[in-house]
Amino acid sequence: MAAPGPLTPGTPIDPSQAPVIEGFTPSVYSSTETFKEKFLRKTRENPMVPIGCLGTAAALTYGLYCFHRGQSQRSQLMMRTRIAAQGFTVAAILLGLAASALKSRS
């Protein structure tokens, strides 16, 4: 049985450059976006996800605060609220994905 050839081509790989994959474009946008621009674009595309994330964080923070103060009933309520907010966030992500898939079809 013959030994397999080298896995990499003869040209050296430059780690400072992105790999070139034939037929693949990493972004549909012509210019690169900063973090802030990308965050604002994604928020405009699906505004319910950041709202759900903020609701989740608020319920968690207030629930932990109530737990620290010994208010176990309120803490339990806030933990249940956190679960509901997480469910809302996941549903918003899935609905946003479905909407973008339907938009790209048409």
Side-chain angles (χ1 to χ4, degrees):
M1 180 153 96
L7 297 176
T8 58
T11 58
I13 297 175
D14 185 9
S16 65
Q17 297 293 324
V20 178
I21 302 172
E22 191 174 326
F24 176 75
T25 54
S27 176
V28 295
Y29 302 101
S30 59
S31 64
T32 58
E33 295 178 293
T34 64
F35 176 79
K36 181 179 177 181
E37 292 169 341
K38 184 174 182 178
F39 178 78
L40 291 175
R41 178 177 56 84
K42 294 283 190 179
T43 301
R44 274 186 245 112
E45 288 175 3
N46 195 355
M48 293 299 144
V49 173
I51 291 170
C53 290
L54 288 174
T56 301
L60 175 65
T61 303
Y62 188 61
L64 290 174
Y65 173 75
C66 290
F67 180 74
H68 178 70
R69 295 204 49 193
Q71 300 171 339
S72 62
Q73 293 286 357
R74 173 82 40 123
S75 176
Q76 283 293 316
L77 177 67
M78 288 289 91
M79 291 302 115
R80 291 183 183 124
T81 305
R82 176 187 59 88
I83 298 298
Q86 283 178 320
F88 174 81
T89 305
V90 169
I93 291 169
L94 293 176
L95 289 173
L97 285 172
S100 67
L102 290 175
K103 185 191 295 185
S104 66
R105 275 189 174 173
S106 56

